[in-house]
Amino acid sequence: MSCVLIAEQHTPNPVPETRFFEGAAKNDCPAGRGAGIVADEMILPALRNLDAAPVEENGETFICLSDPEGYVEGQVSLSGPAFFVAACLDGTASVADIRKAFAEEFGAQITEETVHKVVDFLDKTGFLHSETFFALRTAARREFAGLDTRPAWLAGKSYPDEPAELREYLGHLLGTPHQAQGHGSAGSVRFLLAPHIDFCRGRSAYAAAYTRAEPRARLVFIFGVAHAGAEAPFVLTRKHFATPLGTVQTEVDVVERLAEVCHWDPFEWEIAHKTEHSIEFQAVLLAHLLGNRLEEVRIVPILCGPLGVEASPGDPAGSADPAGSADPAGSADPAGSADPGAVAGVADFLAACREEAQGGDVLVVAGADLAHVGRRFGDDLDVDEGVVRLVEARDREDLAFALKGDALGFYQSVMKDGNARKVCGVGCIYAALSTVDGTAGAGKLLHYGYAEDPAGGIVSFAGAAFPSSC
């Protein structure tokens, strides 16, 4: 998401300097370099890629910043003017540049001292690409690397952290488990497509998928999305996954064999697993469904990064009309003919996954959402019923390929308009479909829906089950 877009959308009147920044983010980083970091003519460090969302407080609009990579815990709130200063930190701006841009935007002057205060505050918080952050990142990666078990990052934040309360919560979420509802027996399910949006908003799709989960599975491949960013197509971890309902054990031997075929270091970006929810939510649901069998089952957690051919946020595709390509003839983006399997190492890795996932007691899960459309996600449009209908039409067009087990067809359908809808699960679903290639029958779409984002926009998702063809 572009921070600049948020600044442009929320530019309230300047507020007193004492309200320029509030809150405290928790970290153990060393103190920043103070005002020395912002000498008037020197280039200022760039703002990191942060989550930003507007919040209302006492009739005023603030921008809440948080770290999706989890290096900095907690949140900070900036006033509109302070956030404008932050958004100007692109790695090329000086104090003079920011003062000039501020005057043009607000018709008012900002002092050098105030710019210094905002930049120094962001630096000490760990929100800038500076020596402060680099030291913080090194320490965090070293700490995470030393853990045998990944803590449940979102327990107590997104779902209950007390076991009895969580069991009750998930019981209401899923209803009666293992109800086939006309789609074969639960024991025949080979592949599940489930969301990774929070449980509350995605409950219908989660229930549709997980009530068909394979109850006798001994091994579960879980493909998730590396939202925090990873410069590798797939990121592995040997760590087990803690949940309030018990620890979900990782099948380390399989992870090691997959690592051997990688053309890259699959553990270089392992820190991405620390805060990533797309696998955590699936692990929590599995722990709930498995109950007393939890110790008998192992998982293979795989985060999917860029496969080398997707458009990235900020690329021209990111400014494409997310709802303007419901007509297939209206799009001719070259990415629509791209084949991730042609990217060095991707085909080898997925072939290894396919080999390891053989057998009737192996379940494959893709924790993947679909479209992300609206101002919250950088689109210059308001989401209305017409946009929703067009997004759904394109989503269903993509899903038609997935339900046939056509991994490449699904990928190319999403990418033919440059992934204008920002389908975050495109690589994840492609990888999962490739893993079950030849061993899963046609899938059934059990639920399609979308949820509103409070900051403006929608996220779409689906639940689907694919029976075993073996």
Side-chain angles (χ1 to χ4, degrees):
M1 178 181 59
S2 169
C3 290
V4 175
L5 286 176
I6 295 295
E8 290 173 348
Q9 291 158 14
H10 303 281
T11 52
N13 292 328
V15 296
E17 288 183 13
T18 55
R19 300 292 306 282
F20 257 45
F21 36 81
E22 296 187 343
K26 294 161 43 181
N27 64 50
D28 298 319
C29 63
R33 290 179 288 172
I37 198 172
V38 286
D40 292 347
E41 297 303 323
M42 75 178 292
I43 301 301
L44 304 175
L47 188 70
R48 292 176 50 218
N49 183 24
L50 305 171
D51 283 339
V55 295
E56 296 292 330
E57 181 181 338
N58 299 324
E60 297 182 71
T61 300
F62 289 82
I63 307 300
C64 183
L65 298 181
S66 59
D67 182 0
E69 295 181 277
Y71 294 118
V72 178
E73 297 185 33
Q75 302 173 328
V76 298
S77 295
L78 301 183
S79 69
F83 182 70
F84 181 85
V85 172
C88 287
L89 297 172
D90 61 358
T92 68
S94 66
V95 172
D97 295 330
I98 292 175
R99 294 187 67 201
K100 178 180 178 182
F102 190 95
E104 292 173 351
E105 177 71 17
F106 293 99
Q109 297 296 319
I110 184 172
T111 66
E112 294 178 10
E113 179 184 5
T114 298
V115 174
H116 291 187
K117 287 172 61 179
V118 174
V119 174
D120 208 33
F121 172 76
L122 292 170
D123 178 50
K124 291 176 181 178
T125 302
F127 281 175
L128 300 182
H129 283 288
S130 68
E131 291 179 4
T132 299
F133 168 64
F134 299 146
L136 171 66
R137 182 178 62 184
T138 298
R141 287 182 171 180
R142 184 183 301 115
E143 179 184 8
F144 187 68
L147 299 177
D148 292 328
T149 300
R150 173 198 181 274
W153 177 258
L154 290 171
K157 303 172 186 175
S158 182
Y159 57 85
D161 58 358
E162 198 281 321
E165 184 181 355
L166 179 57
R167 289 190 188 96
E168 181 179 6
Y169 176 81
L170 295 177
H172 287 303
L173 179 85
L174 297 179
T176 303
H178 315 316
Q179 292 176 331
Q181 297 182 4
H183 189 56
S185 67
S188 69
V189 173
R190 171 68 166 148
F191 168 44
L192 290 178
L193 170 61
H196 60 231
I197 196 170
D198 56 272
F199 290 143
C200 183
R201 291 188 292 169
R203 60 180 303 164
S204 295
Y206 279 115
Y210 274 93
T211 52
R212 290 145 178 90
E214 163 61 85
R216 297 185 299 275
R218 63 166 182 83
L219 184 65
V220 182
F221 274 70
I222 306 177
F223 290 91
V225 178
H227 288 94
E231 295 179 16
F234 301 102
V235 181
L236 299 176
T237 184
R238 305 176 183 91
K239 301 184 191 307
H240 310 301
F241 278 63
T243 82
L245 304 178
T247 298
V248 183
Q249 300 287 322
T250 291
E251 185 58 86
V252 177
D253 288 345
V254 172
V255 171
E256 296 290 7
R257 288 195 292 270
L258 293 178
E260 290 176 1
V261 306
C262 291
H263 295 206
W264 59 92
D265 180 355
F267 303 106
E268 180 181 0
W269 297 91
E270 187 181 21
I271 188 69
H273 281 275
K274 178 183 177 181
T275 61
E276 180 50 55
H277 60 282
S278 57
I279 291 180
E280 178 175 341
F281 287 164
Q282 318 309 319
V284 170
L285 287 166
L286 286 172
H288 172 69
L289 290 175
L290 289 169
N292 294 334
R293 287 196 58 238
L294 180 58
E295 294 185 0
E296 303 172 14
V297 177
R298 299 292 184 267
I299 64 170
V300 180
I302 304 171
L303 285 180
C304 301
L307 299 185
V309 290
E310 299 99 316
S312 301
D315 284 351
S319 60
D321 182 357
S325 51
D327 176 8
S331 174
D333 191 280
S337 60
D339 181 0
V343 177
V346 170
D348 291 341
F349 181 84
L350 294 177
C353 288
R354 198 155 46 246
E355 179 66 24
E356 295 288 348
Q358 295 294 320
D361 53 359
V362 181
L363 175 67
V364 176
V365 176
D369 289 339
L370 301 175
H372 296 66
V373 174
R375 296 191 184 279
R376 170 67 173 84
F377 308 107
D379 298 314
D380 187 19
L381 57 81
D382 294 316
V383 176
D384 56 22
E385 291 184 5
V387 170
V388 170
R389 286 195 299 271
L390 290 171
V391 168
E392 179 175 354
R394 281 288 288 115
D395 281 347
R396 289 183 179 273
E397 182 183 344
D398 300 339
L399 288 170
F401 288 97
L403 295 172
K404 292 186 294 185
D406 185 352
L408 181 58
F410 166 78
Y411 188 93
Q412 292 182 343
S413 179
V414 173
M415 295 304 303
K416 71 179 183 180
D417 56 10
N419 196 6
R421 287 163 294 134
K422 296 169 286 296
V423 177
C424 71
V426 56
C428 172
I429 297 173
Y430 170 84
L433 286 169
S434 298
T435 298
V436 300
D437 183 37
T439 63
K444 181 176 182 179
L445 182 62
L446 305 167
H447 179 83
Y448 173 86
Y450 71 91
E452 295 183 356
D453 188 285
I458 60 170
V459 178
S460 62
F461 44 80
F466 296 68
S468 173
S469 63
C470 299

